Amino acid sequence: MKDNLFSGPEPDPAGDAGHENAPPRVGFFTDTSVCIGCKACEVACKEWNALPEDGLSLTGMSYDNTGGLGASTWRHVAFIEQPVPAGRTELPLADTDPGKAEDTSGVRWLMSSDVCKHCTHAACLDVCPTGSLFRTEFGTVVVQEDICNGCGYCVPACPYGVIEQRPKDGRAFKCTMCYDRLGAGQEPACAKACPTESIRFGPLDELRERAALRVEQLHEAGVTEARLYGHEPDNGVGGDGAFFLLLDEPEVYGLPPHPVVTTRDLPAMWRHAGIAALSLVTGAALSFALPVLTRRSGRT
């Protein structure tokens, strides 16, 4: 039996949630090296899930009109403009000689489609008092909007800042990985719409193998800064159901470098609280018992 149900490696989150004979866990692998910033994933997500528009005002953030993930933005394409690192050879989208793809403009774009990570240890799920958040048989985490009471506990619990409440009614919303499509044997709308296959969907173990091969391929092509993010099963959230191949540090993409599930220390906190309460009760009992014992001993 595990010492801490809130953290550590968890090979079968769906089984741990009570799903018997569950299918293999599925997830997303987003390869940012081939993302072209077309926003097809954003549009497909909004269309399929009937999400309301979330503001059309100019943000001043390049081509990024959504700004980040939220209650009505379940896919967000980030546009990051930065100088090309010295000696860097830009990666071509096609399978051509990387040496012929040098960028002479001095500027490069890093584009990445962000999404809920569907953590192995999901703090949002752990703190939900109504059971609105639940673990599906596919290992994903879904919000049941008709059960959500708008308490907002899940919002600060998420280490990635993904989940958000809608201003009008206070209910929380986030990516469901198109749970309705998965049940019908289809892939999520965002992955289906991605023209460059930057967003890959499938069994999580297979995606991790494919991602490792892709990083090796990029390193051989001279893109030594390519690295995976969120793929390790023993990281601070037990591994993400949606992980990424990045071309720079996670902070550049607005991702925490070392995310940790915020409920990890709950068992220790309750243990310390119990010890403190026991000490308080013991101290109170002694404060009443000692005068009585002292009076009795004085009479004898």
Side-chain angles (χ1 to χ4, degrees), residues 99-147:
K100 297 179 182 178
E102 291 194 25
D103 188 347
T104 58
S105 67
V107 173
R108 71 167 176 171
W109 288 96
L110 298 179
M111 290 168 282
S112 173
S113 180
D114 196 11
V115 71
C116 170
K117 312 307 180 291
H118 293 273
C119 308
T120 299
H121 294 286
C124 59
L125 188 156
D126 292 337
V127 303
C128 180
T130 65
S132 172
L133 281 128
F134 72 100
R135 179 84 61 181
T136 74
E137 66 271 28
F138 303 103
T140 59
V141 179
V142 173
V143 183
Q144 300 174 97
E145 57 186 76
D146 57 329
I147 299 178

Side-chain angles (χ1 to χ4, degrees), residues 19-265:
H19 295 287
E20 297 181 359
N21 301 318
R25 185 182 180 186
V26 296
F28 288 126
F29 164 48
T30 302
D31 183 352
T32 68
S33 69
V34 294
C35 178
I36 59 174
C38 67
K39 292 181 177 284
C41 55
E42 281 193 20
V43 175
C45 178
K46 276 189 172 292
E47 287 186 344
W48 180 261
N49 294 289
L51 300 181
E53 64 91 9
D54 44 9
L56 300 176
S57 59
L58 297 177
T59 63
M61 299 292 291
S62 179
Y63 299 102
D64 188 352
N65 63 317
T66 48
L69 295 173
S72 299
T73 301
W74 299 355
R75 269 281 178 185
H76 167 244
V77 178
F79 288 76
I80 302 150
E81 184 178 0
Q82 63 177 204
V84 176
R88 171 73 162 87
T89 298
E90 284 299 278
L91 183 72
L93 290 178
D95 293 330
T96 57
D97 182 2
K100 297 179 182 178
E102 291 194 25
D103 188 347
T104 58
S105 67
V107 173
R108 71 167 176 171
W109 288 96
L110 298 179
M111 290 168 282
S112 173
S113 180
D114 196 11
V115 71
C116 170
K117 312 307 180 291
H118 293 273
C119 308
T120 299
H121 294 286
C124 59
L125 188 156
D126 292 337
V127 303
C128 180
T130 65
S132 172
L133 281 128
F134 72 100
R135 179 84 61 181
T136 74
E137 66 271 28
F138 303 103
T140 59
V141 179
V142 173
V143 183
Q144 300 174 97
E145 57 186 76
D146 57 329
I147 299 178
C148 177
N149 67 355
C151 68
Y153 293 166
C154 55
V155 176
C158 176
Y160 295 101
V162 166
I163 197 165
E164 185 184 58
Q165 295 170 273
R166 283 191 184 152
K168 290 186 178 180
D169 59 13
R171 291 181 299 167
F173 293 85
K174 71 171 193 67
C175 163
T176 66
M177 206 177 284
C178 289
Y179 182 44
D180 51 345
R181 293 174 65 93
L182 299 189
Q186 300 178 330
E187 63 180 328
C190 57
K192 182 75 173 179
C194 182
T196 64
E197 295 188 337
S198 171
I199 302 172
R200 300 291 186 95
F201 169 80
L204 198 56
D205 290 337
E206 293 181 12
L207 291 178
R208 286 171 176 164
E209 294 178 3
R210 176 178 294 184
L213 292 175
R214 176 60 176 161
V215 170
E216 183 179 341
Q217 176 189 8
L218 291 177
H219 286 177
E220 292 176 353
V223 189
T224 56
E225 60 269 41
R227 85 271 326 255
L228 295 179
Y229 176 85
H231 68 296
E232 298 177 352
D234 57 351
N235 67 8
V237 297
D240 291 323
F243 64 101
F244 303 80
L245 186 153
L246 305 179
L247 298 178
D248 209 325
E249 297 293 337
E251 301 93 317
V252 173
Y253 296 84
L255 298 169
H258 303 291
V260 175
V261 58
T262 51
T263 52
R264 178 191 61 180
D265 298 323

Side-chain angles (χ1 to χ4, degrees), residues 286-299:
L286 289 175
S287 66
F288 283 104
L290 284 177
V292 175
L293 293 176
T294 301
R295 287 197 297 270
R296 288 181 179 179
S297 61
R299 292 173 185 171

Side-chain angles (χ1 to χ4, degrees), residues 261-291:
V261 58
T262 51
T263 52
R264 178 191 61 180
D265 298 323
L266 275 179
M269 292 168 63
W270 282 113
R271 189 161 52 248
H272 293 156
I275 294 173
L278 181 60
S279 301
L280 182 62
V281 171
T282 302
L286 289 175
S287 66
F288 283 104
L290 284 177

